[in-house]
Short mmCIF file of all heavy atoms in Angstrom, two decimals:
data_model
loop_
_atom_site.label_atom_id
_atom_site.label_comp_id
_atom_site.label_asym_id
_atom_site.label_seq_id
_atom_site.Cartn_x
_atom_site.Cartn_y
_atom_site.Cartn_z
N GLU A 183 84.56 70.32 139.91
CA GLU A 183 85.77 69.85 140.58
C GLU A 183 86.78 70.98 140.74
O GLU A 183 87.15 71.62 139.76
CB GLU A 183 86.39 68.72 139.74
CG GLU A 183 87.54 68.02 140.46
CD GLU A 183 88.07 66.82 139.67
OE1 GLU A 183 88.10 66.87 138.42
OE2 GLU A 183 88.47 65.83 140.32
N ASN A 184 87.23 71.20 141.96
CA ASN A 184 88.31 72.17 142.21
C ASN A 184 89.51 71.39 142.74
O ASN A 184 89.58 71.05 143.92
CB ASN A 184 87.84 73.23 143.21
CG ASN A 184 88.88 74.34 143.36
OD1 ASN A 184 89.98 74.25 142.80
ND2 ASN A 184 88.54 75.36 144.10
N ASN A 185 90.42 71.07 141.84
CA ASN A 185 91.55 70.21 142.19
C ASN A 185 92.76 70.72 141.41
O ASN A 185 93.00 70.32 140.27
CB ASN A 185 91.19 68.76 141.84
CG ASN A 185 92.29 67.79 142.21
OD1 ASN A 185 93.42 68.20 142.50
ND2 ASN A 185 91.96 66.51 142.20
N ILE A 186 93.49 71.63 142.00
CA ILE A 186 94.56 72.34 141.28
C ILE A 186 95.65 71.39 140.77
O ILE A 186 96.05 71.47 139.61
CB ILE A 186 95.11 73.49 142.15
CG1 ILE A 186 94.02 74.59 142.20
CG2 ILE A 186 96.41 74.07 141.58
CD1 ILE A 186 94.29 75.70 143.17
N PRO A 187 96.15 70.46 141.57
CA PRO A 187 97.21 69.58 141.05
C PRO A 187 96.75 68.77 139.83
O PRO A 187 97.55 68.40 138.99
CB PRO A 187 97.51 68.65 142.23
CG PRO A 187 97.02 69.37 143.43
CD PRO A 187 95.85 70.20 142.99
N LYS A 188 95.46 68.50 139.75
CA LYS A 188 94.94 67.71 138.63
C LYS A 188 94.64 68.58 137.41
O LYS A 188 94.82 68.15 136.27
CB LYS A 188 93.66 66.99 139.08
CG LYS A 188 93.03 66.12 138.01
CD LYS A 188 91.85 65.31 138.52
CE LYS A 188 91.16 64.66 137.33
NZ LYS A 188 89.73 64.74 137.36
N TRP A 189 94.17 69.79 137.63
CA TRP A 189 93.65 70.58 136.52
C TRP A 189 94.56 71.72 136.06
O TRP A 189 94.33 72.32 135.02
CB TRP A 189 92.26 71.14 136.86
CG TRP A 189 91.17 70.12 136.69
CD1 TRP A 189 90.59 69.37 137.67
CD2 TRP A 189 90.54 69.71 135.46
NE1 TRP A 189 89.64 68.52 137.14
CE2 TRP A 189 89.59 68.72 135.78
CE3 TRP A 189 90.69 70.09 134.13
CZ2 TRP A 189 88.79 68.10 134.82
CZ3 TRP A 189 89.89 69.48 133.17
CH2 TRP A 189 88.96 68.49 133.51
N VAL A 190 95.55 72.07 136.83
CA VAL A 190 96.42 73.18 136.41
C VAL A 190 97.73 72.59 135.90
O VAL A 190 98.61 72.20 136.68
CB VAL A 190 96.67 74.17 137.56
CG1 VAL A 190 97.53 75.34 137.07
CG2 VAL A 190 95.35 74.69 138.11
N MET A 191 97.87 72.52 134.59
CA MET A 191 98.99 71.80 134.02
C MET A 191 100.22 72.67 133.84
O MET A 191 100.69 72.96 132.75
CB MET A 191 98.59 71.12 132.69
CG MET A 191 97.72 69.87 132.88
SD MET A 191 98.44 68.58 133.91
CE MET A 191 97.73 68.93 135.51
N ILE A 192 100.75 73.10 135.01
CA ILE A 192 102.10 73.68 135.02
C ILE A 192 103.06 72.50 135.11
O ILE A 192 102.66 71.39 135.50
CB ILE A 192 102.30 74.64 136.21
CG1 ILE A 192 101.94 73.92 137.51
CG2 ILE A 192 101.47 75.91 136.03
CD1 ILE A 192 102.38 74.64 138.76
N PRO A 193 104.31 72.70 134.73
CA PRO A 193 105.24 71.56 134.67
C PRO A 193 105.24 70.69 135.93
O PRO A 193 105.20 69.46 135.83
CB PRO A 193 106.59 72.22 134.43
CG PRO A 193 106.26 73.48 133.68
CD PRO A 193 104.94 73.93 134.24
N ALA A 194 105.27 71.31 137.10
CA ALA A 194 105.37 70.52 138.33
C ALA A 194 104.19 69.56 138.47
O ALA A 194 104.36 68.41 138.90
CB ALA A 194 105.44 71.45 139.53
N ASN A 195 103.00 70.04 138.12
CA ASN A 195 101.81 69.17 138.20
C ASN A 195 101.77 68.17 137.05
O ASN A 195 101.40 67.02 137.22
CB ASN A 195 100.54 70.02 138.20
CG ASN A 195 100.39 70.82 139.48
OD1 ASN A 195 100.97 70.46 140.51
ND2 ASN A 195 99.62 71.90 139.42
N ALA A 196 102.15 68.65 135.86
CA ALA A 196 102.04 67.80 134.67
C ALA A 196 102.99 66.61 134.75
O ALA A 196 102.67 65.52 134.27
CB ALA A 196 102.31 68.63 133.42
N ARG A 197 104.15 66.81 135.38
CA ARG A 197 105.09 65.69 135.52
C ARG A 197 104.42 64.56 136.31
O ARG A 197 104.56 63.38 135.99
CB ARG A 197 106.36 66.14 136.24
CG ARG A 197 107.27 66.94 135.33
CD ARG A 197 108.60 67.29 136.01
NE ARG A 197 109.17 68.43 135.29
CZ ARG A 197 109.30 69.65 135.80
NH1 ARG A 197 108.95 69.91 137.05
NH2 ARG A 197 109.79 70.63 135.06
N LYS A 198 103.69 64.92 137.34
CA LYS A 198 103.00 63.89 138.14
C LYS A 198 101.87 63.27 137.34
O LYS A 198 101.62 62.07 137.40
CB LYS A 198 102.45 64.52 139.42
CG LYS A 198 103.55 64.89 140.40
CD LYS A 198 102.97 65.53 141.67
CE LYS A 198 104.11 66.11 142.50
NZ LYS A 198 103.84 67.48 142.95
N ARG A 199 101.17 64.12 136.60
CA ARG A 199 100.02 63.60 135.83
C ARG A 199 100.49 62.67 134.71
O ARG A 199 99.77 61.75 134.34
CB ARG A 199 99.19 64.76 135.24
CG ARG A 199 98.45 65.60 136.25
CD ARG A 199 97.47 64.85 137.11
NE ARG A 199 96.40 64.21 136.35
CZ ARG A 199 95.43 63.48 136.91
NH1 ARG A 199 95.40 63.32 138.22
NH2 ARG A 199 94.51 62.90 136.16
N HIS A 200 101.65 62.93 134.15
CA HIS A 200 102.14 62.04 133.09
C HIS A 200 102.24 60.60 133.61
O HIS A 200 101.87 59.64 132.94
CB HIS A 200 103.49 62.53 132.56
CG HIS A 200 103.95 61.76 131.35
ND1 HIS A 200 105.14 61.97 130.73
CD2 HIS A 200 103.36 60.75 130.65
CE1 HIS A 200 105.27 61.14 129.70
NE2 HIS A 200 104.21 60.39 129.63
N LYS A 201 102.68 60.47 134.85
CA LYS A 201 102.77 59.12 135.43
C LYS A 201 101.37 58.50 135.58
O LYS A 201 101.18 57.30 135.38
CB LYS A 201 103.48 59.18 136.80
CG LYS A 201 104.93 59.60 136.67
CD LYS A 201 105.78 59.06 137.79
CE LYS A 201 107.21 59.59 137.72
NZ LYS A 201 107.89 59.23 136.46
N VAL A 202 100.42 59.35 135.95
CA VAL A 202 99.03 58.87 136.06
C VAL A 202 98.55 58.35 134.70
O VAL A 202 97.90 57.31 134.61
CB VAL A 202 98.10 60.01 136.57
CG1 VAL A 202 96.64 59.60 136.51
CG2 VAL A 202 98.49 60.44 137.98
N VAL A 203 98.90 59.09 133.65
CA VAL A 203 98.50 58.71 132.28
C VAL A 203 99.07 57.33 131.93
O VAL A 203 98.35 56.45 131.42
CB VAL A 203 98.96 59.76 131.26
CG1 VAL A 203 98.77 59.26 129.82
CG2 VAL A 203 98.20 61.07 131.46
N GLU A 204 100.35 57.13 132.21
CA GLU A 204 100.99 55.85 131.86
C GLU A 204 100.36 54.70 132.65
O GLU A 204 100.10 53.62 132.12
CB GLU A 204 102.50 55.92 132.13
CG GLU A 204 103.23 56.97 131.29
CD GLU A 204 103.13 56.75 129.78
OE1 GLU A 204 102.96 55.59 129.34
OE2 GLU A 204 103.19 57.75 129.04
N ASN A 205 100.10 54.97 133.90
CA ASN A 205 99.48 53.96 134.76
C ASN A 205 98.07 53.63 134.27
O ASN A 205 97.65 52.46 134.22
CB ASN A 205 99.46 54.50 136.19
CG ASN A 205 98.96 53.46 137.17
OD1 ASN A 205 99.25 52.28 137.00
ND2 ASN A 205 98.20 53.89 138.16
N ARG A 206 97.35 54.67 133.87
CA ARG A 206 95.98 54.49 133.36
C ARG A 206 95.96 53.62 132.11
O ARG A 206 95.12 52.76 131.94
CB ARG A 206 95.40 55.88 133.05
CG ARG A 206 93.98 55.88 132.56
CD ARG A 206 93.53 57.30 132.24
NE ARG A 206 94.17 57.83 131.06
CZ ARG A 206 94.33 59.13 130.78
NH1 ARG A 206 93.89 60.04 131.63
NH2 ARG A 206 94.93 59.53 129.67
N LEU A 207 96.93 53.85 131.26
CA LEU A 207 97.00 53.10 130.01
C LEU A 207 97.24 51.61 130.31
O LEU A 207 96.68 50.73 129.63
CB LEU A 207 98.11 53.67 129.12
CG LEU A 207 98.01 53.39 127.63
CD1 LEU A 207 96.66 53.84 127.06
CD2 LEU A 207 99.14 54.10 126.89
N GLU A 208 98.03 51.34 131.33
CA GLU A 208 98.25 49.93 131.72
C GLU A 208 96.95 49.31 132.22
O GLU A 208 96.61 48.18 131.87
CB GLU A 208 99.31 49.85 132.83
CG GLU A 208 100.71 49.83 132.28
CD GLU A 208 101.75 49.85 133.39
OE1 GLU A 208 101.49 49.27 134.49
OE2 GLU A 208 102.82 50.46 133.18
N MET A 209 96.21 50.06 133.01
CA MET A 209 94.94 49.54 133.54
C MET A 209 93.94 49.32 132.41
O MET A 209 93.19 48.35 132.39
CB MET A 209 94.36 50.49 134.59
CG MET A 209 95.20 50.53 135.85
SD MET A 209 94.35 51.32 137.24
CE MET A 209 94.09 52.96 136.63
N LEU A 210 93.94 50.24 131.44
CA LEU A 210 93.04 50.10 130.29
C LEU A 210 93.44 48.89 129.45
O LEU A 210 92.57 48.20 128.90
CB LEU A 210 93.05 51.38 129.45
CG LEU A 210 92.26 52.55 130.03
CD1 LEU A 210 92.69 53.87 129.39
CD2 LEU A 210 90.75 52.34 129.83
N THR A 211 94.72 48.65 129.35
CA THR A 211 95.18 47.48 128.60
C THR A 211 94.65 46.21 129.27
O THR A 211 94.19 45.28 128.60
CB THR A 211 96.72 47.46 128.52
OG1 THR A 211 97.16 48.72 127.99
CG2 THR A 211 97.21 46.35 127.62
#
Side-chain angles (χ1 to χ4, degrees):
Chain A
E183 189 175 35
N184 187 354
N185 182 346
I186 289 171
K188 181 175 171 224
W189 281 99
V190 183
M191 285 303 96
I192 54 167
N195 290 339
R197 284 185 200 112
K198 290 179 190 132
R199 292 301 299 179
H200 188 183
K201 294 207 185 300
V202 172
V203 169
E204 298 300 333
N205 186 36
R206 182 182 71 203
L207 202 54
E208 275 176 33
M209 292 194 298
L210 283 162
T211 306

